Amino acid sequence: MRTWSALALVLALVARATGDAAADTPARRAEAFFQSSSSSPAGGSNHTSNWAVLVDASRYWFNYRHIANTLSLYRTVKRLGIPDSNIILMLADDVSCSPRNSFPASVFGNANHLANLYGDNIEVDYRGYEVTPENLLRVLTDRHAPGTPRSKRLLTDAGSNLFLYITGHGGDEFMKFQDQTEIMSKDIADALEQMREKRRYNEVLFIAETCQAATLAARFYSPGVLAIGSSEKGENSYSHHLDRSIGLSVIDRFTYWTLEFMESVTPHAGATLAQWFSQLTNHRLHSTAKPRLELFPRGAHDARVTDFLGHVSKAAPMAGGGYEGLSSSRGGRVRTESADAGDDAATRGGDGRGDGTGGGAAAAAAGKSGGEGARLKVGDEDAGRVPKAVDGGWATPGARARGEGVAFAAVSCAALVGAAAWVSAKAY
Amino acid sequence: MLIAFLLVVLAASVGAARESRETFQEEALVRPLPDGRIAFVAHFRQETSLVARHHETFPKAIAQIARATGVADAELSFTQGRWMYRRWGRPPVGAKPIGAELWAAFAAESDEVADEGWANLTAMFGGQFCASLSALRDEQVVVEPALVFRPWDGSARVDRDGISSDNRRRHGSLPAEAVCTENLTPWLKLLPCRDRAGIAALLGSRSSVFGAEYVSFTARVRVRGDALELTQSATLVVDANKIAREPEGGHRLTSLLGVDRGGGANGIRACAAATSTAVHVQTKGGTAFAFGGRKVHTAVADEGRRVDTAVAADEASRPAWLSWDVSAAEDFDVAVRPGGGDEGTVAPELYAERVVTGSGYHRGGISIELRRPEGSKSASGTRARLFQTLPWYVRVFIHTLAVEMDGVPVPVPTSGADVGANGGAVEALRWVPGVDRRRPSTMELQVLMPASASVARVSFKFEKAFLRISEFPPDANRGFDLPAALLSLPPVSPRDGHEFGESRLLDLVEGVASEVGDTHSEGVYMQGALLTLPTPDFSMPFNVTTMVCTLMSLLAGALLTTLTRRPGWEGFGKLKAEQRKRLKSLEKEARKARAGKSE
Amino acid sequence: MRPRDAIVAGLRRVIRHHVAASTALYLLGVLAAALYPALARRTFVDENAFLVAQTTVGFDRRDARDASEHYRAAIDAARTSPGDVHRSDALRGWLEDELDALGMERYRQAFALDRHSWTRGDDDWGRRSDASSIDNATHGVNVHAVARAARGNGREGIVLATPIGAPGATLEADAAALALGLVVMRTIASAPWLAKDVAWLVADARWGPGDHGIAATDAWLREYHDPGSSTHHSAGHLTQHRRHRAQLSPSPLALFGRVGALQQAYVLELPEGAVADVASINVVGFNGALPNQDLLNVPVQLAKLAGFPRAGIFADSSRFSGTGGGDGDGGVKGGDLFDAVGAVVGGAPFAADLRRVAGFALALARGTPAGSHASFKSYAVDAVTVRMSGSRGVPTGGAHRRDGVSGEDAFLRLGTFAESAVRCSNNLLETLHHSMFYYVMVDDDRFLSIAEYVAPQGLMLASSLVTAIALAVIGTSTGGVASVFVAEKTRGKNGGKNGGKATPAATAPAHDWSSALALALLAHVAGWCVLLVATRTASTAAQLAAAYAGALATAAAALATWSNNVDGDEGSFDGDEGDGRVGARREPPWATLKVVALSVQVASLGALTFFNFALAVAVTAPLAPLQLWAHGGVGGAIKPWLRAALTLVAAPVLLVATSCAALGTDARACSLGDAAAAHVAWGERVHVLPLAWCVAWPGLVLAACVHLGGVRGWRRGASTREEEAPGGPEGKKRR
């Protein structure tokens, strides 16, 4: 009898262990974690997780430095403890394995080639043609096509601090994506507001590295957003130095000095944003990087760098099992997702602002949520705005310029037709 | 009660024990190539039960994908660089086209189900491998091949009934997809030991993997009964001339692949989860020195050639196989010294080259050249199947399809009736015309190349469609990448008598590469091509040109108007008529007057 | 007054004073042309992706040493070759051995020669320069090597081309080119940054029109873009040589390596061997087709970086006959003219700029390419020829001390340039797509874009257009030199009472278009026939005969039709007297013809402006005044017959003389026969002769016919009534 019970005990333990193992998939853990955190009451105080959206908006080999910028921040946030599952990395081009790259599978932000920013374990969530304003806004507002894998989604909640970094070629209140489309400051501002209404963030740190970068945050109006750009309106952002072995300039000044500072930051050091910003002097940047603080009441002096870039202890379980969580257990998500996209449409349909975030770009998203009028309105006012100088002597005409080219050509042709016809009719 | 409880527990534990039966095999092949390159193939195979709820080593993500999409057989490949057939001969494992390629067969009763499964598959693979495979969901890209995946049973039917209803195939490729670390890392993470131990440890250095002249890694998910099989294989071609040689004149594998940690600690150990770990070296007349490991008796060849490499040297006609078992206990490494015999590599039956002909923005053409290697003659002719899919904006004029043998045109069937009739060279032709913005065009062709012919050329012309301005990619002025075309050759048989029973990899080697479908046929990919389309340009000189041309044409129009219109004269036509009448009368009078005078 | 009315009134005024307006517009056009240098802008590299001068160059002194060794080896190989082997063939054989030693893909293409290609076969340094060898040689041989990008996808390619065996090229020149190419290709093939395959074409430049081996490059590109076509193509030609070709030229099945879609091509010419002091960039292609301007600016920058003391499009003074450079050799005879203009406008530098512009424009107008890059351009591949030469007779600015670089140093410069050029093109992801191919160079670093240089042409055409409209709308009442003063007086008289509207409306002209159009058509058909004659029989006499026959036929036809019309005209005007209504006044046929001729000229030359701007201007400048001057009035000092004769005979002679003077050649040299022969030799690809016979000559003929319109009037005295015609109706209106 004793032996029987002993055997039973053993078997029970075995069964339990297997059962636990079966139940305890990381995906389940992730779900459980999100349910727990999202059920907790929202508010500025409770900060449970950190997320990062890092965007390189420009394509082509000679924009190597923009990808290096983005990867510098990627390296930093990963080193400070944000898991890949909490990082949405958008790279508009692949320079690391480009045959033009003399150092395959590596990207260097410094001519001394000490740190390979690309690393062995990178996860690029959106790359190539996928990097569009539409997809960026979809990520922010979490409205995706059915079946979008989890790795491409920003699953923040009211307790999440968001670090949003954009680099590329831009101008006055716009940022060019792959030299084809643009995203406007208003689009991002509206997306952030929509996130706030859906209680998808606790605080946001927005950084733009481009020409006239500060103007990209000019339209922000949602509380809890701290924005800083590499240059003021009318200023250019400059690259830091040239790497002759790769054959181009590898990093921009703002990011270079940011990385200089971040390399000294440890996950548990109390370095504040103010200390960081103090490093970004005009002397180093050749441009003015001034944070925009009025939407960020607690100020840069109290905010620690790790509040945004580091890991949060409560979020620690995710850190290990980040990878397996990806793209798993997709089966049931289609329905739920389309559903919440649907009631997004219902809620957003009323005020055009939310749908307006699409600007000219996120046509599909806005189209799904039936706010055409508002979208068109925003589109018009976008079209009315003329872009000014873009990043350092960038010569090719952007999509907006192309649009203007079309309009210009059309209008003047029409004028010519009218004039000539009427001249020929009345000229004598 | 207790007994019942015990029974339940027993059943549960036994079930758990049964579910956890999984196998993992890994092996590698090293083959020196002429011109100092060395080809390295790593091959992994995992198997589990499809119904298992819990996996010990088998990747959970793959099992979930297989369950969620109902896929019967799917292969995804990432490739960078080209396999140079002329220099390196036939690849050990079928070479793949540059970029990403995905094909799948679904056990679906209807096409809708298959499409749904395809959509899920692309999305989930895309998320799994950090690739933009979601672009393959677009119906503009995906096609359904009928002929090329059909078994080489001598029949050349192109209808779909050869494809059983539980075997609906989809095929799509991204010729311009970038392949890099973010794709390789998840691929390695599918392995039980990742790249920490086992053969995969040889792929640990990203810079040397992607610095290779040709790197291709594929993952194939296959459902066999209730068994789920995941086969991964990676092929690298590294330039040995750039790596230092060992004192005995060979190249150590670890130094070739950039994973030597220096000192004596070189080498790999078998992955603890592996049921078998083997390394094969295939060289003609060359030698290989193993550091550690146990030489295994394969059925490759008889005693002499197996063990004694010196004997292999004079047997340069046939490849010498050297196989080792790698243990998890001691480090293993192998140094390969290419031999003189390696210059003579096994050439494929046909070289295939595809050329985009013509220049300019309006018309163009494609010419596919099948060339028999110099000196190789086949007693009977060579059969080859051509599979080529073109985007919708390439509007093919199918009536211009021409097939030449040594420059002599041969008749091309124009209807299904005379396909293969009167023993023409074109034995089968399947043509699915493209539909604008909806469907790419697909061409499948089976040609019989007579033994006498040395060059066959298949050519046709096409027109380039105008795209809407929203349809241009950001780098439109680079051109548009056409997907690679596939040439499928019948299996080489007999494979000079070798049977590698226990080794999955060696089953693939030598001609039976690239199991396209389930037919052991050899696939030769013709590389993708670049097509220039007219792209919008609003830079200033063009605007000026447009403006001035418009102005001048309008002025010409105005001139014409002024020349032809009489302003302010409604009754002008009437006036002219009167004038003409009066003129006639005056002429009459004048004539009368003259007549009067003359009298 | 609303702007609308203002515009209408302005247009009316212009139309009414069209003679003054046309003259003013024409003069404005000339002035604008003279102001070209003032409008010039600085050049700039438009495409950022070139990444010029941001990298270290792999080609080092060791490579230069290897190059000079190859150079010597090549010369020895050519010298020691057996006597019956052509030197360039010997070089080719040596090259193929070297390429095999390098383990580099190489291909050989034998191309059939066109009938007129091997007329230029002989070479002044080869051993077999006798005519028989030329007749036996029925095909040329191209060799090209391919450097594969190890990690590239082989879909895009760059071409380096070094033509060898060109007429006048020394053995040293060819050997140097081959040695340079070998080492550069070796460096590139092992470069870790190579993303595009590079093909090195060693074109067989012994043949073909011009001195640059166009035939060879054409054949190579034809085979490249249309596999197996080179022999199909040749089937039409040299039937009498088919037997030779049977064993000489290969089958269409020969292996031909490709490098994907060609993106850029750099043609390197070393006419003086291994010397590198001046890099003169040649961009002019067929009929003034130009590559993207970046392909001019980037090589200039790269050459300067590689250490060339002088680089640019005007670096070699002998290139452009218009550019006298510092010393007067090869300068234009019209140089003093430029000096005069320059002195008036902006002094000596201005004059030099003008001379350069004129030289460049002449090179464009001539239409013959300045290098074998032209054939690439005709396949939509941006290409440029860089000719490296010594500093002999070339002012190298302040860099005189660095002159005379040769041997290893020269190879270092050349190799540095070639490698960095390839790397710049390698950096590009997109093809050069910014439409910077409408430009006129003023200096090595200054240019005129189409926005600036199109102005004179526009103004000149506008002057013709104004007259045409005026003649069509208000007729000769104020048109024609003879009657303009009358018109002025009448307008002055009644200008106060009846404002603008009445005058033109009252004199609404009636044109007889059919006959005028028929005449124009006849003239152009005649011109086309002359062109046919020219291409068939390349003789001056035949062309002149045909030309004047056609002219006389047109004139006769004109007189015939007009005399018939005159019979019809009788009394067509006295219809107006009876009723008070103002009748449509019948226009004299010469006015109608003038309108048609002017419109045709405006349309054709306006269209030509965008294909070959310089040629269009060169035709418009003399033609416009001749046609404006043409009128059928009896007034004026010169009789109509005489005017017609002047237009048809004196003007062309004068034009040819002046153009020859500008070209620096003497008038006897440039005979029509030679022109026709050259036209045929260039495969009828050059537009000058067709333009001269099919556009310019008909224009002259029509102008002459317009003059002849006065003859009839003078004979029949009908023109007097035309003079009074405007007075008549207005007189009636005043009552």
Side-chain angles (χ1 to χ4, degrees), chain C residues 142-193:
Chain C
N142 286 333
V143 174
H144 74 279
V146 174
R148 300 278 176 202
R151 291 180 288 140
N153 57 16
R155 293 171 198 167
E156 308 145 282
I158 309 167
V159 178
L160 282 176
T162 56
I164 66 168
T170 63
L171 168 60
E172 288 70 23
D174 293 345
L178 294 188
L180 174 67
L182 265 174
V183 183
V184 167
M185 285 299 276
R186 192 188 67 192
T187 322
I188 289 173
S190 63
W193 43 259

Side-chain angles (χ1 to χ4, degrees), chain A residues 60-62 97-102 104 242-249 393-397 422-423 426-428, chain C residues 4 7-8 11-12 46 48-49 51 53-56 151-152 192-196 423 426-430 434 473:
Chain A
Y60 303 127
W61 165 247
F62 67 98
C97 286
S98 160
R100 290 163 181 78
N101 189 351
S102 306
L242 188 70
D243 183 340
R244 293 198 159 271
S245 60
I246 302 179
L248 34 67
S249 49
W394 174 258
T396 58
W422 161 82
V423 163
K426 290 263 174 31
Y428 22 76
Chain C
R4 186 169 167 287
I7 296 172
V8 176
L11 283 172
R12 286 224 189 85
D46 181 47
N48 309 37
L51 296 171
Q54 299 196 10
T55 174
T56 50
R151 291 180 288 140
W193 43 259
L194 191 62
K196 302 175 182 176
R423 184 159 189 178
N426 181 71
N427 286 334
L428 289 178
L429 274 114
E430 299 188 298
H434 302 157
V473 174

Side-chain angles (χ1 to χ4, degrees), chain C residues 394-450:
Chain C
V394 177
T396 54
H400 270 288
R401 66 194 182 290
R402 303 178 57 182
D403 281 359
V405 171
S406 67
E408 271 185 36
D409 302 340
F411 274 120
L412 189 59
R413 278 184 188 173
L414 296 167
T416 310
F417 172 82
E419 185 199 322
S420 41
V422 169
R423 184 159 189 178
C424 281
S425 287
N426 181 71
N427 286 334
L428 289 178
L429 274 114
E430 299 188 298
T431 54
L432 297 171
H433 52 283
H434 302 157
S435 53
M436 298 290 291
F437 46 79
Y438 287 123
Y439 54 90
V440 168
M441 299 307 290
V442 177
D443 199 352
D444 292 344
D445 57 354
R446 279 180 303 140
F447 77 106
L448 289 161
S449 177
I450 182 169

Side-chain angles (χ1 to χ4, degrees), chain B residues 135-165:
Chain B
L136 287 180
R137 302 171 64 171
D138 189 347
E139 60 182 354
Q140 291 184 16
V141 194
V142 59
V143 300
E144 176 168 14
L147 173 65
V148 71
F149 289 142
R150 186 188 293 272
W152 279 95
D153 52 7
S155 78
R157 308 208 322 280
V158 294
D159 49 5
R160 284 188 45 195
D161 49 15
I163 301 165
S164 61
S165 65

Side-chain angles (χ1 to χ4, degrees), chain A residues 11 97 118 120-121 127 129 180, chain B residues 9 177-178 180 182 472 475:
Chain A
L11 291 179
C97 286
Y118 214 65
D120 282 358
N121 202 357
R127 53 180 212 164
Y129 298 150
Q180 187 184 38
Chain B
V9 170
E177 178 77 354
C180 202
E182 64 265 31
F472 286 99
D475 53 357

Side-chain angles (χ1 to χ4, degrees), chain B residues 331-370:
Chain B
D331 286 336
F332 173 83
D333 196 357
V334 61
V336 183
R337 182 165 66 194
D342 291 322
E343 275 64 23
T345 53
V346 187
E349 249 182 295
L350 292 176
Y351 293 123
E353 187 196 14
R354 185 176 66 171
V355 184
V356 173
T357 62
S359 66
Y361 289 124
H362 182 204
R363 294 282 173 89
I366 281 183
S367 157
I368 294 171
E369 185 180 279
L370 310 180

